[in-house]
Amino acid sequence: MERPSWAPEDIDLDRPSAARVYDYFLGGAHNFAVDRQLAEAIASMTPNIGDTMRANRSFLRRMVRYLIGEGVTQFLDLGSGIPTVGNVHEVAQQADPDARVVYVDVDPIAVSHSRAILADDPNTTAIQADVREVDRILADPETRRLLDLDRPVAVLLLGVLHFVPDSDDPAGLVARLRDAISPGSFVAQVNVTHEDQPPEVIEAQKLSGRTGTPIHLRSRAELLAQFAGMSLVEPGLVHIPLWRPDSPLDVDDRRERFGALAGVARKDAE
Ligand SMILES: C[S@@+](CC[C@H](N)C(=O)[O-])C[C@H]1O[C@@H](n2cnc3c(N)ncnc32)[C@H](O)[C@@H]1O
């Protein structure tokens, strides 16, 4: 197929990517036939998956507003994705025009698009890095330019740690981030779970192996361990729509329909 102008030279157009599959589910335009085919295959097995992804974006908006209300104006968004409606800096800067956001993603299209839309905003930036490269991300001159780690910061890990296998120790990775941020900082996470999920979800998850970044479904206990040493704020680790919903009407009866758990934790003073 022909390479669109927004696709960097070095990406493989024949292999689906997690960022572009997600973009397709959210109604974005930065995906290829190979991504759409995989998304449709996953959706045919788990028709609710699009709802989960949209619920994740709603959580993002509620969570950023909550954190601004807690006085946090600096955000480190790891695995930030291809920009779509309601990005972190848009939600944050609506509440506080001086809010600062560093976006990080491993996907070159996510990063090039982020840079394009952020070009005129000196309070935001986008870095291409793997979330496992914690030290490099924290030491990056752009991170240092925008974020003062001696003051509270919000580290966002939404839909990204389930791409990190157990062998790379996702809980240890969060612990390294926790140790690098100051008391009063927060860590927000959304991760997929296999608990309460029907067998077809487990089967659909296997399709993610086609992207080269397979998804790892985890138990609630494993996901709680990814918040070790911090205090989960109310209502704790819950199915996405249950996290501080704007309206009781937003909460679906069958919450397990949303196969992902959301939580926000504060790093307390030692
Ligand atoms: C499901 S999207 C989530 C996007 C956004 N955080 C959200 O919640 O709407 C997952 C993103 O994580 C990125 N990603 C996957 N593995 C990663 C890794 N090891 N390091 C950094 N980003 C990664 C993908 O490229 C993709 O953009």
Side-chain angles (χ1 to χ4, degrees), residues 19 22 56-57 79-81 105-107 129-132 158-160 163:
Y22 184 63
N56 179 49
R57 294 300 292 188
S80 47
D105 204 286
V106 77
D107 187 289
D130 192 301
V131 66
R132 287 165 280 202
L158 308 190
V160 63
F163 294 108

Side-chain angles (χ1 to χ4, degrees), residues 79 104-107 111 127-133 136-137 140:
V104 180
D105 204 286
V106 77
D107 187 289
V111 176
I127 299 170
Q128 186 173 353
D130 192 301
V131 66
R132 287 165 280 202
E133 302 174 283
R136 176 161 98 73
I137 293 168
D140 190 287

Side-chain angles (χ1 to χ4, degrees), residues 9-22:
E9 285 295 322
D10 53 349
I11 62 159
D12 181 354
L13 300 187
D14 296 321
R15 186 168 214 187
S17 101
R20 298 190 315 255
V21 169
Y22 184 63

